[in-house]
Amino acid sequence: MNTLAFNIAQFSPPVNHHLLSLILGKAGFDLKVVQFFSHYLVDRKTFYFWNNFPSCLFDVNVGVGQGLALFPILSALYLSPFLHILEKHLKNLDLKISILLFVDNGLLISQSKSSNLSNACLFSSYNVASELLLKFGLLVEHSKTEVFHFFRLYGNFNPPPLDLSSIGSPLLVSKDTWQYLGFIFDRKLSFHQHIDFYSNKAISTVKYMKILGNSTRELNLLQKHLLYRSCTLSIVLYGFQLWFYHKALLLYSLKTLGKLQRRVATCILGAFKMSPSYSIKVIAGLILIHLHLQKFSGRLQLRAHFLPANHILRSLMSDNSVIPNSTSHLHHHLHSMLLNSLTKR
């Protein structure tokens, strides 16, 4: 599987207000909603203050503020016609490409046994997507475009580079690891580098925990325990859903996280490094890391039960062969399915 990641340059400022109003109308929204956004977005002006000196008024007919509560919804609506048109173009060109878009970060995924064939599909789809985004007033930042190849078999793997120089992008060479949206991928999806990176980051927070004390006294045990639960765990377990799942190989992961937890326990208690691992963890009141993972994984899966009835995850998780006749049956069916899918270890 080959992946090409691209970035839309300054996504928020170039959003065209008139085009966004037309999209809202075509999407079937109520006329009052369309008129509200037409008056809210179109013909806006702004000015700047420097100390006590105001500037003149400037027209702001483009852009949606990233701090606005409606920014994710408006950006998704603005890009929905782009995705619809892009899928049609790729289907007409017979390019078997999957598309993922995270606001201003996009992914083109090609699944083929031939690296050369995948590169050809990625090149064509990237060219089509770049030209289509340009028509929407958006520009692709070619300097941030990356390519990554996943390879399951053992042995040396040297994929051919992807040459995008003809469309303004440099020659792309796949690396051994790929960092995307805070996640670190390797070719075989073992996520060992991801776990190592965030474990070292969490250890740094543990080391500097002593700085929070003063010359009179250091942090007490309850405060250290609170820092561990609020800071260290949130760092080290970032993205754990990627590597903690049913029948996953967890020997390396649990060994690395166990070392981290032992270090935290010695720091909380001020114990010697040669102290027994399980004993100091119990005395420090730390839940063993594999039990933490099971708890978080189970709660994460149960959260889907409380999603609205029209949420997209409901349609993805429902069984097409069994269609409940009422909402109560749907809730019971989904709840039973989620309980049965909890990770058992």
Side-chain angles (χ1 to χ4, degrees):
M1 186 177 73
N2 302 335
T3 303
L4 187 143
F6 62 91
N7 182 268
I8 302 175
Q10 298 181 350
F11 173 78
S12 178
V15 173
N16 189 291
H17 292 168
H18 293 282
L19 179 57
L20 182 57
S21 301
L22 292 174
I23 292 173
L24 291 174
K26 291 289 186 181
F29 283 90
D30 190 85
L31 184 60
K32 293 181 180 179
V33 177
V34 178
Q35 290 178 351
F36 167 77
F37 279 103
S38 298
H39 290 86
Y40 176 70
L41 295 173
V42 178
D43 296 331
R44 299 180 68 185
K45 296 181 183 295
T46 187
F47 66 95
Y48 301 93
F49 261 105
W50 181 263
N51 292 331
N52 294 326
F53 300 97
S55 68
C56 58
L57 292 174
F58 296 95
D59 292 330
V60 188
N61 291 324
V62 293
V64 179
Q66 292 188 354
L68 295 177
L70 292 175
F71 171 74
I73 300 174
L74 294 178
S75 59
L77 289 171
Y78 189 80
L79 290 172
S80 56
F82 159 74
L83 292 173
H84 179 69
I85 298 171
L86 180 60
E87 286 182 351
K88 280 191 173 182
H89 285 357
L90 297 180
K91 187 176 181 180
N92 294 335
L93 294 173
D94 196 21
L95 295 175
K96 297 180 180 180
I97 296 291
S98 301
I99 311 164
L100 292 175
L101 205 60
F102 309 97
V103 188
D104 59 343
N105 294 284
L107 283 179
L108 299 174
I109 304 171
S110 174
Q111 297 182 0
S112 176
K113 294 183 179 180
S114 173
S115 298
N116 293 323
L117 181 60
S118 294
N119 283 349
C121 293
L122 290 175
F123 174 84
S124 302
S125 57
Y126 180 70
N127 189 19
V128 173
S130 301
E131 294 180 355
L132 190 57
L133 283 171
L134 194 59
K135 294 180 180 179
F136 276 77
L138 303 173
L139 186 66
V140 175
E141 241 179 316
H142 296 297
S143 59
K144 293 185 179 180
T145 304
E146 297 177 303
V147 67
F148 190 76
H149 299 270
F150 295 94
F151 189 69
R152 185 177 295 178
L153 302 179
Y154 290 96
N156 295 328
F157 177 62
N158 297 314
L162 180 58
D163 189 6
L164 300 176
S165 57
S166 59
I167 55 178
S169 185
L171 182 70
L172 302 180
V173 180
S174 179
K175 301 178 182 179
D176 293 332
T177 59
W178 175 45
Q179 187 168 358
Y180 186 71
L181 300 180
F183 308 112
I184 302 175
F185 299 88
D186 56 89
R187 297 194 189 279
K188 295 180 174 59
L189 294 178
S190 64
F191 295 102
H192 290 174
Q193 290 83 356
H194 176 88
I195 296 169
D196 290 339
F197 176 79
Y198 284 100
S199 295
N200 293 331
K201 198 172 182 179
I203 287 175
S204 300
T205 62
V206 175
K207 285 182 178 179
Y208 291 102
M209 194 182 294
K210 298 178 182 179
I211 299 178
L212 298 176
N214 53 36
S215 58
T216 307
R217 61 180 180 180
E218 62 177 8
L219 300 177
N220 58 40
L221 298 181
L222 292 178
Q223 290 171 337
K224 291 180 180 179
H225 197 279
L226 178 62
L227 283 172
Y228 164 72
R229 288 186 284 116
S230 58
C231 299
T232 308
L233 278 180
S234 59
I235 294 174
V236 75
L237 297 184
Y238 176 73
F240 79 96
Q241 301 91 337
L242 296 173
W243 51 266
F244 187 82
Y245 53 89
H246 189 50
K247 294 184 179 180
L249 299 176
L250 300 175
L251 180 62
Y252 180 85
S253 308
L254 295 181
K255 183 179 180 181
T256 304
L257 298 181
K259 291 180 180 179
L260 168 67
Q261 197 176 44
R262 172 187 169 81
R263 196 158 190 169
V264 172
T266 55
C267 181
I268 291 176
L269 297 176
F272 294 106
K273 293 183 178 180
M274 300 301 293
S275 303
S277 298
Y278 288 102
S279 301
I280 59 174
K281 290 178 184 178
V282 171
I283 297 173
L286 303 182
I287 302 176
L288 298 181
I289 195 65
H290 69 279
L291 299 177
H292 250 308
L293 290 169
Q294 290 183 21
K295 181 183 70 174
F296 289 152
S297 178
R299 288 181 177 180
L300 181 66
Q301 295 179 53
L302 284 175
R303 282 182 63 185
H305 175 62
F306 300 100
L307 293 174
N310 57 349
H311 199 278
I312 188 172
L313 288 180
R314 293 266 186 165
S315 60
L316 293 175
M317 298 177 66
S318 61
D319 190 358
N320 295 329
S321 60
V322 180
I323 303 177
N325 296 324
S326 63
T327 307
S328 60
H329 290 167
L330 174 62
H331 287 176
H332 177 73
H333 170 70
L334 184 60
H335 184 65
S336 302
M337 181 178 64
L338 288 170
L339 289 175
N340 293 330
S341 65
L342 290 178
T343 308
K344 297 180 180 179
R345 300 200 179 275

